[in-house]
Every structure is written in C-alpha cells, then in structure tokens.
C-alpha cells in the first residue's frame, strides 16, 4: 500500500498555512510584536542623551594673546558681530595680555591640550596670526572680519534684511526627499534583518524536534522550503501592518503632537517623489523582494548547520554582507544618476534599498516596474538554488543523518505494513 503525495504547490500551501497559524496564534507572536519596541525606546533615549551631551559640550574657543588694548578691541568687535553671524562666529577668550615686545608660544599652549582651546590668535588686529589644527582653518574668515571691525575698516552699521518666508523651494524639496530616501532605506533594512531571522529560528526548532523529518516523509522538501519561506513573509507582513496601524493611530491623535511640542505632524512629513500612497506600496513590494532573497539564503544556510551555534556562525557572514550592501546602497543615494546608483539598482541584493531611495527622490514609475521584474527573476533563482540545497542537506544535518533517514524510512514502511495487515 503506498501513499500518494500532494502536488508541490498544494504541499507548500499546507506547510505555509500550518506555520502561519501556529505562529500567529502563539504567545511568542505577542513578544514578536513587542520586539521592536525595545530598540526604538533605546534609540530614542540614546538620541535624546546624545543631543543633550552635544548641546552641553563646550564649544571650541580661540584664545587671544595680544597687547592689552588689542585684546579689548578684538573681544569688543567679536561681541558686536556675533548677533549678525550667529553660529558662524567662534568663541573668543582672553588668553594673555602681552607687554611691549613680549612674545607668546602658541604651539606650546596647544600641545598641552588644556581647556577647550581650538586655536590661539596672536599678532595685532592689522596682522593677526592664527595657530590651529587643519580642520579649523575656516576660522580665518570670521577672524579677518573681527580684526577689520576692530580697526574700523569694516562697516559700522548693517542694514536690516527683510525676510519673506515661503513654504518650499527646490533646495528644501531636494533635502527633504533625501531625508525620506535615507529613512526608507534604514526602515527597509532593519525590517528585513529583524524579520528574516525568524526563518532560521523556526527551522532550527523543527530540526531539533524532528518535525522536519516527519514532513520530509510526507511531502517534497521543496514544498517545505517554499511553505516556510512564504509563511514567514506573511507573518512579517502581519507584524508590519500591526506596527503601522499603531504608529499611525498615535500620529493621528492631536494629543500626540502636543506631547512632543508639535515636532511630529503628518503635514510636515517630506513628500516622496512618487507620492505617499505609491511610495508605501513600493515599500511593501521591495520589502517582500528583499525578504525572499535573504530568507532563501538563510534557509539554505540553516540546512547546512547541525546545531544552533553553527547556525549563528554560518548566518553571520550573510548578515555582514547584507550590511555592506546596505551601506553601498546608502552611498549610491549621493550619486543620483551616476554609475554608483545604477550599480546598486542592478545588483539584486542591494536593488530594493536603492530603488526605495529612488522612489523618494524621483517621480518616474517605469524604473520600479523594471526593477521589480528584475528582482523577481533573482528571487526565483535564489529560491530554486536554496530549495535544491535545502533538499540535499537538511536531512543530513545531524551527526547520524544517514542512519536517521534509514530509520525513518523503515518506520514509515512498518507503519504502512501494519496498517495493511490490520485491514486484511
């Protein structure tokens, strides 16, 4: 008596439905939904602390070592110019009042690295001399203006500039779209890395519990591969939908804007080039492509491992390679229309990140249709290669793989034989 196996697509659907329902209605799914809350909270706290540390850090100062009268004139000129130049005017402090004919060793003072001195200004207002590090050579411009003001060679009165504010400009739109492009890349990368790991954890668990062997005795291994991959993609999309709904609900509340001093407003979000509806749709499509590409590799890697430690060791190079590809796609944003951007769009594993950035910056739609078709081809190839490796290696992953396979086949044959005898 022999049992007829299900077709590949139906068997894959059975595995996908089984995994999807088992994970969706498990307690672990609740912790999965809460998982991003911790890095977001830590990131927000770290950002707030970083801003406070940066604002509290002392600004680099220029120490003045001149004749007493010149020190007073330079400091007075600096104070008169500071309201007009704002952050472009460096801090100046009195370092030493020199006597007639006295010299000052500025190099020795800076080499001691005392205080917050970034440079030392010596000489006279008519011939100032700045001693500083190369990255602060831009101080020569403000110092020249201060010295000219001290010598009354600069304008003593400055006209009031009337400012007419507009909603946007070409420069502001380009900068806003650049922020949207970078944010889209970061979110897409984090979601892909965070959620693709579920495939490995699920596979390792079922290998440890011998569930893979039971499935292999009943359905083709290619169906197990496809079912698990697309089940994890569906679970990931459910998680993204829940997170998006919660975040959208908070942002839509009037109290949410007031709680942050009006810093978060839906109307203030930078508009992407293709518009928000299509941008979000493309984001989902590119996430699915990136997830299937990375997930198929993770499943293939998981089939090579015998233990959880080996899974972590083998998956680390894949993760690091994905980080480098993400950095490559991020760098390509700065080369819009150049060879770097086209290379990032053509390489399949960086293409989703490069194209989501292009969707934020350009209004053209046809490149995304071409890119999605190109990525779909590579997804099919990746799944085919991963499934072949999965089929070949997953049943041989244990130390007694061959014996376990023979024992499993004997067990299944014995079960069918006993059932036939019972019928007779």
């Amino acid at each position: 008596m022999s049992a007829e196996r299900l077709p590949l697509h139906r068997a894959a659907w059975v595995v996908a439905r089984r995994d999807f329902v088992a994970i969706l209605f498990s307690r672990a799914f609740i912790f999965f939904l809460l998982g991003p809350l911790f890095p977001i909270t830590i990131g927000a706290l770290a950002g707030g602390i970083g801003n406070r540390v940066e604002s509290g850090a002392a600004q680099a100062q220029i120490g003045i070592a001149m004749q007493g009268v010149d020190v007073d004139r330079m400091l007075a000129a600096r104070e008169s110019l500071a309201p007009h130049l704002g952050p472009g005017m460096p801090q100046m402090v009195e370092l030493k009042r020199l006597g007639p004919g006295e010299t000052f060793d500025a190099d020795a003072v800076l080499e001691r690295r005392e205080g917050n001195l970034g440079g030392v200004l010596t000489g006279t207002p008519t011939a100032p001399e700045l001693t500083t590090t190369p990255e602060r050579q831009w101080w020569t411009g403000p110092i020249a203006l201060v010295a000219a003001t001290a010598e009354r060679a600069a304008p003593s009165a400055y006209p009031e500039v009337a400012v007419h504010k507009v909603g946007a400009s070409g420069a502001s739109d380009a900068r806003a779209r650049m922020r949207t492009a970078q944010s889209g890349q970061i979110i897409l990368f984090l979601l892909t890395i965070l959620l693709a790991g579920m495939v490995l954890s699920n596979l390792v668990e079922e290998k440890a519990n011998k569930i893979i062997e039971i499935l292999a005795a009943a359905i083709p291994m290619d169906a197990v591969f496809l079912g698990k991959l697309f089940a994890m993609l569906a679970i990931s999309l459910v998680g993204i939908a829940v997170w998006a709904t919660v975040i959208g609900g908070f942002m839509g509340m009037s109290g949410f804007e007031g709680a942050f001093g009006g810093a978060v407003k839906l109307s203030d979000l930078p508009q992407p080039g293709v518009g928000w509806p299509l941008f979000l749709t493309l984001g989902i499509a590119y996430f699915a492509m990136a997830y299937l590409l990375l997930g198929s590799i993770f499943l293939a890697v998981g089939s090579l491992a015998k233990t959880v430690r080996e899974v972590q060791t083998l998956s680390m190079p894949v993760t690091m390679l994905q980080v480098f590809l993400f950095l490559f796609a991020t760098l390509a944003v700065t080369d819009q229309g150049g060879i770097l951007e086209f290379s990032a769009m053509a390489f399949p594993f960086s293409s989703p990140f490069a194209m989501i950035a292009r969707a934020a910056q350009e209004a053209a739609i046809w490149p995304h249709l071409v890119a999605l078709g190109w990525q779909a081809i590579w997804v099919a190839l990746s799944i085919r290669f991963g499934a072949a490796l999965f089929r070949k290696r997953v049943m041989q992953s244990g130390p007694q793989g061959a014996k376990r396979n023979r024992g499993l086949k004997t067990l299944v044959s014995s079960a069918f034989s006993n059932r036939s005898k019972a019928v007779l």
Side-chain angles (χ1 to χ4, degrees):
M1 181 176 180
S2 61
E4 183 179 355
R5 288 192 172 188
L6 294 174
L8 179 64
H9 67 281
R10 290 187 59 188
W13 166 252
V14 170
V15 174
R17 183 177 59 185
R18 163 191 168 272
D19 285 6
F20 180 81
V21 173
I23 296 175
L24 187 64
F25 294 100
S26 66
R27 288 176 294 180
F29 186 69
I30 303 298
F31 293 98
F32 162 73
L33 293 177
L34 295 176
L37 182 63
F38 301 103
I40 291 175
T41 303
I42 294 174
L45 292 175
I49 294 174
N51 291 334
R52 175 169 293 186
V53 170
E54 183 178 357
S55 61
Q59 185 179 359
Q61 299 173 334
I62 300 176
I64 303 177
M66 295 180 178
Q67 300 288 330
V69 63
D70 292 337
V71 172
D72 294 334
R73 289 164 59 196
M74 291 291 289
L75 292 177
R78 191 266 171 198
E79 292 303 320
S80 66
L81 291 172
H84 302 286
L85 296 182
M89 177 58 69
Q91 295 283 345
M92 293 184 180
V93 295
E94 177 184 330
L95 194 58
K96 186 176 182 181
R97 292 175 178 266
L98 304 179
E102 185 180 358
T103 60
F104 187 81
D105 191 353
D107 293 349
V109 172
L110 293 178
E111 287 176 359
R112 290 200 298 266
R113 302 180 182 179
E114 297 176 352
N116 200 41
L117 286 178
V120 175
L121 186 61
T122 55
T124 63
T126 55
E129 182 179 347
L130 176 64
T131 303
T132 186
T133 50
E135 68 271 13
R136 294 191 173 91
Q137 290 182 358
W138 67 272
W139 277 351
T140 56
I143 289 174
L145 183 58
V146 170
T149 304
E151 287 292 310
R152 302 186 185 279
S156 58
Y158 298 90
E160 189 71 24
V161 179
V163 179
H164 177 65
K165 297 181 180 180
V166 296
S169 64
S172 63
D173 283 349
R175 186 173 181 179
R177 289 181 176 182
M178 177 64 75
R179 291 199 302 268
T180 303
Q182 292 174 336
S183 300
Q185 286 183 323
I186 293 173
I187 293 174
L188 183 62
F189 171 73
L190 292 178
L191 287 176
T192 304
I193 291 296
L194 176 67
L195 299 176
M198 291 194 308
V199 179
L200 272 178
S201 60
N202 180 264
L203 175 63
V204 172
E205 180 183 356
E206 294 197 347
K207 285 174 67 175
N209 296 333
K210 309 298 186 294
I211 297 177
I212 287 291
E213 298 177 0
I214 298 175
L215 291 175
I219 58 178
M221 289 304 297
D222 288 1
V224 177
F225 182 91
L226 291 173
K228 288 188 170 300
L229 184 60
F230 283 92
M232 293 300 104
L233 174 61
I235 285 292
S236 300
L237 293 176
V238 171
I240 292 174
V242 173
W243 296 330
T245 302
V246 172
I247 294 174
F250 274 113
M251 294 183 67
M253 296 170 57
S254 58
F256 184 75
E257 295 182 359
F260 289 86
V264 180
K265 295 181 180 179
L266 294 176
S267 59
D268 292 340
L269 294 175
Q271 182 77 6
V274 297
W276 276 115
L278 186 56
F279 182 78
L280 296 176
T281 302
L282 289 173
I284 295 174
Y286 288 132
F287 167 77
M289 294 299 177
Y291 187 92
L292 291 175
L293 285 168
L294 190 60
S296 59
I297 294 179
F298 273 160
L299 272 179
V301 168
S303 67
L304 300 174
K306 302 176 182 179
T307 62
V308 176
R309 179 176 297 180
E310 288 188 6
V311 167
Q312 295 173 346
T313 303
L314 292 173
S315 63
M316 180 59 67
V318 179
T319 303
M320 294 306 299
L321 179 61
Q322 193 67 11
V323 171
F324 286 124
L325 292 174
F326 165 71
L327 296 177
F328 173 56
T330 303
L331 180 62
V333 176
T334 61
D335 188 33
Q336 190 173 359
I339 186 65
L340 199 62
E341 183 187 25
F342 286 113
S343 300
M345 291 189 296
F347 193 72
F349 291 93
S350 62
S351 182
F353 307 112
M355 291 307 301
I356 194 66
R358 189 176 182 87
Q361 295 177 297
E362 297 290 338
I365 299 177
W366 69 266
H368 300 284
L369 301 178
V370 176
L372 288 172
W374 173 249
Q375 293 168 22
I377 293 174
W378 279 95
V379 166
L381 293 175
S382 179
I383 289 176
R384 185 176 182 86
F385 171 77
L389 187 60
F390 186 85
R391 180 177 61 252
K392 181 179 179 180
R393 298 292 302 179
V394 73
M395 294 298 293
Q396 302 174 3
S397 60
Q400 303 294 330
K403 294 181 180 180
R404 186 186 297 117
N405 291 342
R406 290 195 297 268
L408 181 63
K409 291 179 181 179
T410 302
L411 180 63
V412 173
S413 301
S414 176
F416 280 119
S417 176
N418 292 339
R419 184 177 178 182
S420 300
K421 292 178 180 179
V423 172
L424 294 175

